Amino acid sequence: MVYADNAATTKTCSAAQQAMLNAMEQFWGNPSSLHTPGQQAKEALQTAREAVARAIGAQPREIYFTSGGSEADNQAIVSAAKFGARRGKKHLITTAIEHHAVLHTMDQLSKEGFEVTLVPVDESGIVKVEDVAAAIREDTALVSIMYANNEIGTIQPIAEIGALCRERKIPFHTDAVQAVGHLPIDVDAQNIDMLSLSGHKFHGPRGVGALYVRRGTPLLTFIHGGAQERGFRAGTENLPAIMGMAAALEDACAHMEENDAHAAGLRDALIEKLSAIPHSALNGDRERRLPGNVNFCFEGIEGESLLLLLDDKGIAASSGSACTSGSLDPSHVLLAIGRPHEVAHGSLRLTLDRDNTMEDVETIAAATTEVVEYLRNMSPVWKALQRGERNYVIQ
Ligand SMILES: *Cc1c(COP(=O)(O)O)cnc(C)c1O
């Protein structure tokens, strides 16, 4: 099997597996217990917290472990919204291309009386800093803009948006789930107040993540109970997962440059090969994208069929976000960059990583070219396009 769906999840690396086994064998105590096994677990928890903090230039006490990226996004956004509301600020800013963990949280808040501005992106899938500036109001309680997009891989001007928010004294949250472990991050240099990350997007285990919250930025308790995570997130700590995540992150950061260079080389080769398919188009900016991200639209075909046939050929790919697959709605991200519905349905996301090879790229390119041609030959839409009864959307 060629695995090309690393944006959905990554395979747990051996450093993470070892750390998890170690946690279960040696640090099975409850970190809140005063006896020796408890205190040993507490120390291991602190070591993991230091490692996660180091990876993004934060202080250990600014890291709160969560059950994943979704929980971190929810807590950051709901916290900032409620603190804003106490001071009469009920306006929230985000973008049209966020992950649903952000968008659906914003939807819920808008039902509760908050006003949400969705800043658009241009056709390359990048947010303009001027548009964020123009959206800011007297009553803006939060700006939340993702670091890198999970579908089309575009990297946003986070440092510039951070500087803008700092100047206007508005808390700035970034969903950096796709970026952490893949791109260098420094929360101070980039003026980030809150940041979400998730273990399983950088070869750690799933069901664990973290929320970074800058000292001085108010945070609300999201899960009530014991005093874990300095009282902000109750529940006995999932130490095996936390230690696994920390080990995976240290490993990813130690080899970031070589991993990125490798993935970017594969990405560029695959983009070149898939561009040779007639009436195909790359989604998202060519330069400002994650090292392993390839996302294409092919005119006249249906993304779901493409995926199933690629799976038959031993290739694991995606039509976009794993969270929307299974629904028939086209991707909100592809619609936001201006792809019409009929084309947005024919999308394919291939996300490559350090474990992929140039041979994988050749296999993927050959199989995709073949399957696209096969599906087009059966497609009434494609026939109508070829007979000139319809106009091509993608030239
Ligand atoms: C995967 C992902 C999430 C959700 O993280 P989980 O740990 O799976 O809850 C949030 N945002 C982005 C951008 C993601 O890619």
Side-chain angles (χ1 to χ4, degrees):
M1 197 78 196
V2 174
Y3 186 72
D5 199 13
N6 286 286
T9 199
T10 53
K11 184 178 171 216
T12 315
C13 65
S14 64
Q17 291 176 18
Q18 283 311 312
M20 293 176 83
L21 278 175
N22 193 24
M24 289 185 275
E25 280 165 8
Q26 314 237 350
F27 303 108
W28 43 266
N30 186 327
S32 301
S33 301
L34 293 179
H35 47 59
T36 303
Q39 291 305 299
Q40 286 169 340
K42 187 179 174 182
E43 259 174 54
L45 180 65
Q46 179 61 15
T47 305
R49 200 182 302 283
E50 286 163 8
V52 172
R54 213 179 302 120
I56 58 169
Q59 300 296 318
R61 61 195 181 90
E62 297 172 312
I63 301 296
Y64 301 86
F65 290 118
T66 66
S67 69
S70 299
E71 186 188 315
D73 284 342
N74 274 257
Q75 185 168 13
I77 294 165
V78 171
S79 248
K82 290 192 174 169
F83 272 102
R86 288 183 191 172
R87 292 177 293 128
K89 299 186 176 195
K90 299 193 75 174
H91 176 236
L92 309 166
I93 295 174
T94 189
T95 77
I97 61 166
E98 298 295 313
H99 189 274
H100 283 146
V102 168
L103 284 181
H104 290 171
T105 304
M106 293 281 181
D107 285 348
Q108 181 55 33
L109 287 166
S110 72
K111 284 182 197 141
E112 294 171 17
F114 288 85
E115 209 181 311
V116 179
T117 299
L118 291 185
V119 177
V121 291
D122 58 19
E123 72 284 350
S124 69
I126 311 261
V127 178
K128 288 202 185 69
V129 183
E130 309 91 85
D131 290 343
V132 180
I136 292 177
R137 309 194 316 210
E138 277 299 304
D139 62 342
T140 302
L142 173 72
V143 172
S144 176
I145 294 179
M146 73 195 323
Y147 203 114
N149 184 267
N150 48 302
E151 293 189 36
I152 57 176
T154 49
I155 300 167
Q156 305 304 333
I158 291 304
E160 289 86 339
I161 296 168
L164 170 71
C165 293
R166 178 59 47 87
E167 189 192 308
R168 309 287 283 268
K169 298 190 167 59
I170 298 165
F172 173 45
H173 166 254
T174 184
D175 173 344
V177 170
Q178 290 288 333
V180 171
H182 301 277
L183 300 175
I185 294 179
D186 184 325
V187 289
D188 284 341
Q190 296 174 300
N191 285 312
I192 296 165
D193 297 315
M194 292 191 278
L195 175 148
S196 306
L197 62 90
S198 171
H200 74 107
K201 303 293 175 75
F202 48 77
H203 298 273
R206 67 200 66 184
V208 65
L211 175 61
Y212 155 79
V213 183
R214 176 178 298 283
R215 57 212 167 275
T217 301
L219 183 67
L220 279 184
T221 300
F222 211 56
I223 296 185
H224 301 272
Q228 292 90 355
E229 301 302 296
R230 304 170 72 230
F232 289 100
R233 206 280 184 180
T236 306
E237 300 85 347
N238 185 355
L239 197 52
I242 289 168
M243 286 178 70
M245 171 168 74
L249 187 51
E250 283 192 301
D251 184 49
C253 290
H255 302 104
M256 191 182 287
E257 250 179 73
E258 62 208 78
N259 289 343
D260 284 359
H262 175 73
L266 301 181
R267 171 197 67 192
D268 295 345
L270 186 54
I271 289 175
E272 200 186 312
K273 287 175 193 292
L274 295 184
S275 299
I277 297 176
H279 304 283
S280 69
L282 179 71
N283 294 312
D285 194 80
R286 178 67 188 79
E287 304 301 326
R288 299 197 52 170
R289 67 191 302 135
L290 287 168
N293 180 287
V294 177
N295 189 313
F296 266 83
C297 278
F298 302 104
E299 180 130 22
I301 64 154
E302 227 259 279
E304 303 278 297
S305 330
L306 179 55
L307 280 191
L308 295 177
L309 291 173
L310 285 178
D311 188 50
D312 278 347
K313 289 180 175 290
I315 295 161
S318 160
S319 61
S321 163
C323 313
T324 44
S325 52
S327 84
L328 286 175
D329 296 336
S331 146
H332 65 285
V333 176
L334 296 181
L335 296 181
I337 62 169
R339 296 282 184 220
H341 273 250
E342 64 269 33
V343 172
H345 272 298
S347 67
L348 176 67
R349 180 186 73 181
L350 298 150
T351 42
L352 306 166
D353 207 333
R354 62 199 198 198
D355 299 334
N356 292 105
T357 63
M358 200 52 91
E359 208 184 328
D360 290 348
V361 166
E362 272 149 28
T363 309
I364 295 168
T368 306
T369 307
E370 194 185 315
V371 171
V372 167
E373 198 182 308
Y374 171 78
L375 287 172
R376 280 176 173 172
N377 284 336
M378 302 195 308
S379 157
V381 172
W382 182 251
K383 284 176 189 140
L385 286 163
Q386 288 204 307
R387 284 197 297 264
E389 294 158 16
R390 280 172 85 121
N391 292 323
Y392 289 104
V393 177
I394 303 171
Q395 295 311 313

